[in-house]
């Protein structure tokens, strides 16, 4: 009986064009947009040039400071600051009169950099200008020390070499941030309409009473509808991930470079699929409960909206957290653990203790929510009004 009801509900869901649109097409369009957005982030700055406004007194010697920086395009302006304010340049540099001659004479020279730290292009330009001027300063200091017969190493007692662990796999870190968020959103968006229709929709259409009068127990009905919501959520997640994987493989460069699972690729994929199914079941329980509480489909969707929005926060919190900083609570907290474990998996880390903690906490939370939903469904107060 359970199987028959489950198959019936699945057929009803996929007969509805609105459900198909929301569960399949919309998540794919949303996630495709995110893929190309993050690909553009990964490639930002490559091959770009930035306009730096300088005044008309800017000499060739001063221009030589920036000759090795092809990304800096110097434009002469009567008023560099105004040129920047008008949007004709991403930054401005104002040197004091006879800047180069003043430096060569051993006197103190000054300059003013004008930019906007809230603008990515302006920030990139200001960083390049600062680097170029710092290198010029080092050359001048070295020349002055050499002229005095002093070894330049005396003012440099040590050298610093910084090794950035994430620099070599920037695409991998973007994918570790992108894929869990896509999966969580796709499952929620896909399962939401079905959950609202299977409970609140029945009440709104006045068919719930006839359904409850059938010889099928309420527990069986509840379980069948929950399995339907879980299946649709899992299918939506799988379809979205397949499309995203194909787009990353064939339509991106920076994100594709981040995919490197080594010999563990099949195990990682298997764990990811299993985790996605568990998460779909967990979200289905939450959405089912909001649908039981809601009197109409619109009301149920209003209750479920915070659930669909809350998945954004873990992704933001973990964006600046390294894999080696993840603690027990990251894997014991539902929703948060999806992002934490996927971050490990997508960076090629398989930690079995974390996997079991994640699955266990989700199953426990799922059972608690399902029991609460069953209690509500057994009461006519919630299912008949």
């Amino acid at each position: 009986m359970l199987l028959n009801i489950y198959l019936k509900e699945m057929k009803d869901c996929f007969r509805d064009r609105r459900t198909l649109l929301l569960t399949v097409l919309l998540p794919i369009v949303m996630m495709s947009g995110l893929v190309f957005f993050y690909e553009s982030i990964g490639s930002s700055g490559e091959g770009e040039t930035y306009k730096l406004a300088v005044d008309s007194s800017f000499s060739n010697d001063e221009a030589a400071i920036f000759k090795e920086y092809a990304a800096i395009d110097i434009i002469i302006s009567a008023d560099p600051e105004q040129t920047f304010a008008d949007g004709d340049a991403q930054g401005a540099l104002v040197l004091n009169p006879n800047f180069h001659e003043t430096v060569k004479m051993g006197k103190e020279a000054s300059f003013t950099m004008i930019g906007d730290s809230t603008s990515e292009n302006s920030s990139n330009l200001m960083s390049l200008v600062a680097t170029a001027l710092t290198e010029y300063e080092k050359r001048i200091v070295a020349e002055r020390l050499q002229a005095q017969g002093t070894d330049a190493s005396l003012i440099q007692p040590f050298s610093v070499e910084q090794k950035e662990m994430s620099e070599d796999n920037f695409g991998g870190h973007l994918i570790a941030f992108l894929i869990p968020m896509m999966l969580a959103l796709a499952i929620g968006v896909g399962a939401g309409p079905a959950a609202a229709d299977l409970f609140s929709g029945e009440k709104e259409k006045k068919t719930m009473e006839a359904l409850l009068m059938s010889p099928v127990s309420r527990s069986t009905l509840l379980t069948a509808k929950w399995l339907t919501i879980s299946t649709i959520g899992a299918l939506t997640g799988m379809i979205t991930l397949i499309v995203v994987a194909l787009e990353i493989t064939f339509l991106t460069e920076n994100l594709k470079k981040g995919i490197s699972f080594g010999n563990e690729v099949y195990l990682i994929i298997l764990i990811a699929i299993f985790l996605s199914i568990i998460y779909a079941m967990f979200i289905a329980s939450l959405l089912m409960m909001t649908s039981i509480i809601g009197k109409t489909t619109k009301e149920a969707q209003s209750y479920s909206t915070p659930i669909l929005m809350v998945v954004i926060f873990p992704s933001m919190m973990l964006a600046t957290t390294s894999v080696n900083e993840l603690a027990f609570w990251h894997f014991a907290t539902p929703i948060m653990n999806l992002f934490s474990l996927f971050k490990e998996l997508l960076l090629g880390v398989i930690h079995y203790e974390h996997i079991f903690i994640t699955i266990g906490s989700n199953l426990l939370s799922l059972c608690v929510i399902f029991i609460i939903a069953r209690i509500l469904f057994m009461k006519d107060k919630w299912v008949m009004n």
Side-chain angles (χ1 to χ4, degrees), residues 297-336:
T297 302
K298 185 176 181 179
E299 185 177 342
Q301 290 173 343
S302 298
Y303 292 150
S304 64
T305 299
I307 296 173
L308 302 181
M309 292 178 61
V310 76
V311 301
I312 301 297
F313 296 104
S315 64
M316 297 295 107
M317 294 173 63
L318 291 174
T320 56
T321 302
S322 177
V323 172
N324 58 0
E325 294 176 337
L326 297 175
F328 172 82
W329 71 272
H330 288 104
F331 301 96
T333 307
I335 300 179
M336 173 72 76

Side-chain angles (χ1 to χ4, degrees), residues 13-14 16-29 185-195 228-229 231-240:
C13 285
F14 284 104
D16 186 358
R17 292 183 180 179
R18 180 177 63 96
T19 301
L20 284 175
L21 177 67
L22 293 175
T23 58
V24 179
L25 184 59
L26 181 60
I28 289 175
V29 172
L185 287 173
I187 290 175
V189 171
T228 301
I229 301 169
T231 303
I232 291 176
L235 286 175
T236 304
M238 294 300 103
I239 292 172
T240 303

Side-chain angles (χ1 to χ4, degrees), residues 244-300:
V244 167
L246 292 174
E247 289 176 343
I248 289 175
T249 303
F250 297 106
L251 301 178
T252 67
E253 294 184 7
N254 294 285
L255 293 180
K256 183 171 64 176
K257 292 177 184 177
I259 302 176
S260 178
F261 299 145
N263 298 327
E264 306 290 348
V265 57
Y266 296 110
L267 180 59
I268 290 174
I269 292 174
L270 184 63
I271 295 172
I273 291 174
F274 184 67
L275 181 63
S276 302
I277 294 172
I278 295 294
Y279 179 77
M281 295 164 65
F282 169 73
I283 288 296
S285 301
L286 283 173
L287 295 175
M288 179 176 67
M289 188 168 64
T290 61
S291 186
I292 292 173
I293 295 173
K295 296 179 181 179
T296 63
T297 302
K298 185 176 181 179
E299 185 177 342

Side-chain angles (χ1 to χ4, degrees), residues 79-100:
D79 189 346
E81 186 171 356
Q82 186 60 44
T83 301
F84 167 69
D86 292 339
D88 296 326
Q90 285 80 45
L93 178 66
V94 179
L95 305 176
N96 70 339
N98 301 316
F99 176 85
H100 184 71

Side-chain angles (χ1 to χ4, degrees), residues 211-232:
L211 190 63
L212 295 177
M213 290 176 64
S214 65
V216 183
S217 67
R218 293 195 182 191
S219 296
T220 302
L221 285 172
L222 183 74
T223 304
K225 290 177 179 291
W226 171 73
L227 286 173
T228 301
I229 301 169
S230 301
T231 303
I232 291 176

Side-chain angles (χ1 to χ4, degrees), residues 39-154:
E39 170 68 9
S40 66
I41 291 179
S43 60
S44 63
E46 296 181 4
E48 291 187 9
T49 58
Y50 308 100
K51 294 181 180 179
L52 177 67
V54 297
D55 58 32
S56 54
S57 64
F58 199 74
S59 66
N60 292 332
D61 291 327
E62 290 158 356
I65 299 174
F66 306 99
K67 68 178 181 179
E68 295 181 2
Y69 292 83
I72 300 178
D73 182 15
I74 296 176
I75 58 175
I76 305 298
S77 170
D79 189 346
E81 186 171 356
Q82 186 60 44
T83 301
F84 167 69
D86 292 339
D88 296 326
Q90 285 80 45
L93 178 66
V94 179
L95 305 176
N96 70 339
N98 301 316
F99 176 85
H100 184 71
E101 289 75 10
T102 302
V103 171
K104 288 299 183 181
M105 291 173 61
K107 297 181 180 180
E108 182 180 357
S110 64
F111 61 87
T112 302
M113 288 195 302
I114 303 167
D116 183 2
S117 60
T118 61
S119 166
E120 181 181 0
N121 289 335
S122 182
S123 296
N124 291 339
L125 175 58
M126 290 299 98
S127 178
L128 290 173
V129 171
T131 302
L133 290 171
T134 300
E135 291 180 355
Y136 176 67
E137 180 187 29
K138 290 180 179 179
R139 289 201 305 269
I140 295 300
V141 170
E143 290 174 3
R144 291 177 180 178
L145 290 174
Q146 186 177 9
Q148 296 179 0
T150 304
D151 189 351
S153 63
L154 291 176

